[in-house]
Amino acid sequence: MKEKTIAERLAVIETEVTNIKETLDDIKNNHLNSIYTKFDDIWKKFSCFEKKLTNRLPLWATLFITLLSSLVVGLVVYGVMKK
């Protein structure tokens, strides 16, 4: 068998390093694209949820209902604890 020269060995190593680098670049780009796609999907869902919230009751009505509910629960707890 004939031994390879240094130049042949370096050529093989250089080819392998180039292939590995291209593979890693492909992996990096594919993962980034999928991450950006998922962020876009999440943002669309959040925007849709925000629109649904703004179409509901006004803020003052929500606060008023919350205050009354808390008052009723407080009175019920006070009534049960007093007995």
Side-chain angles (χ1 to χ4, degrees), residues 69-83:
S69 300
S70 298
L71 184 64
V72 168
V73 169
L75 289 173
V76 167
V77 169
Y78 177 75
V80 169
M81 296 299 286
K82 187 157 184 148
K83 287 185 177 186

Side-chain angles (χ1 to χ4, degrees), residues 13-56:
I13 292 172
E14 184 179 2
T15 304
E16 290 297 320
V17 168
T18 303
N19 289 340
I20 292 171
K21 184 176 183 275
E22 289 173 356
T23 303
L24 289 176
D25 288 341
D26 288 342
I27 291 171
K28 183 176 85 171
N29 290 336
N30 286 338
H31 286 300
L32 287 177
N33 289 335
S34 66
I35 289 171
Y36 289 140
T37 304
K38 290 190 187 236
F39 277 142
D40 288 340
D41 291 342
I42 291 170
W43 184 253
K44 286 177 186 175
K45 288 179 184 178
F46 180 73
S47 297
C48 191
F49 180 68
E50 184 181 15
K51 288 178 185 175
K52 286 181 183 178
L53 283 178
T54 57
N55 291 335
R56 292 187 179 180

